[in-house]
Amino acid sequence: MKKLFLILALAFAGIFTANAQTWIGGGVGAKIYQDYTHFSISPEFGYNINNHWTIALGASYGFTQDKNLLGEKVTTNELSLEPYVRYIGGTIGHKFSLFLDLTGDFGLIDKSGYAVSLRPGIAWAATEKFTAAFRFGFAGYDHGFYGPNNGFFLNCETVAPEIRFYYSF
């Protein structure tokens, strides 16, 4: 039985990697307010399985400085893993595509918990090798990753979308 499972796993891996296109990329973010500063860097790598499906793994490091109720500065360093599956639903012309990401966020350092969310977006293929992707908000379930409360959430950040850049090779 173990040999059969191994053979099936290798066959599926061969099928998925035969048409896969590898890419690397990520994003950099910053939020600066009067008493709050946050910087983040999020590298990613992934595979385009076919024209509709992509799998990827990202990591995110964030540095936050905030003031507590006593006016003291509190510094936090956060590290998390962010695997996701992207479904590309359609295209607009030759350069734009609409997508939906099913993401998982898992806290490792100074941020615990996990979250599972759906993130819609649009991607712009600037050239054959370079792509920019814009995510607009997210909805899902949070278990102590984004805040102290557990439960379902909706976040619509259409004013400041998440921007990522990718290079395919």
Side-chain angles (χ1 to χ4, degrees), residues 9-31:
L10 290 173
F12 280 115
I15 291 168
F16 285 139
T17 58
N19 295 326
Q21 183 178 6
T22 308
W23 52 265
I24 60 171
V28 177
K31 293 179 183 177

Side-chain angles (χ1 to χ4, degrees), residues 85-122:
V85 175
R86 175 171 290 171
Y87 176 73
I88 300 168
T91 59
I92 303 170
H94 298 297
K95 297 279 186 182
F96 294 93
S97 59
L98 302 172
F99 64 83
L100 182 65
D101 290 347
L102 173 61
T103 65
D105 297 317
F106 303 96
L108 300 175
I109 297 176
D110 278 358
K111 187 181 241 188
S112 61
Y114 63 90
V116 178
S117 60
L118 292 172
R119 299 175 182 230
I122 186 168

Side-chain angles (χ1 to χ4, degrees), residues 33-93:
Y33 302 110
Q34 184 175 357
D35 293 330
Y36 178 83
T37 304
H38 177 78
F39 295 101
S40 65
I41 183 167
S42 304
E44 299 177 7
F45 68 93
Y47 296 100
N48 294 332
I49 297 170
N50 57 33
N51 291 338
H52 292 285
W53 292 99
T54 298
I55 57 172
L57 176 63
S60 179
Y61 169 76
F63 170 82
T64 304
Q65 234 179 19
D66 198 1
K67 284 191 177 180
N68 63 13
L69 296 174
L70 301 173
E72 302 167 339
K73 283 190 177 182
V74 177
T75 302
T76 307
N77 293 297
E78 303 167 346
L79 181 64
S80 60
L81 287 178
E82 301 171 346
Y84 66 89
V85 175
R86 175 171 290 171
Y87 176 73
I88 300 168
T91 59
I92 303 170

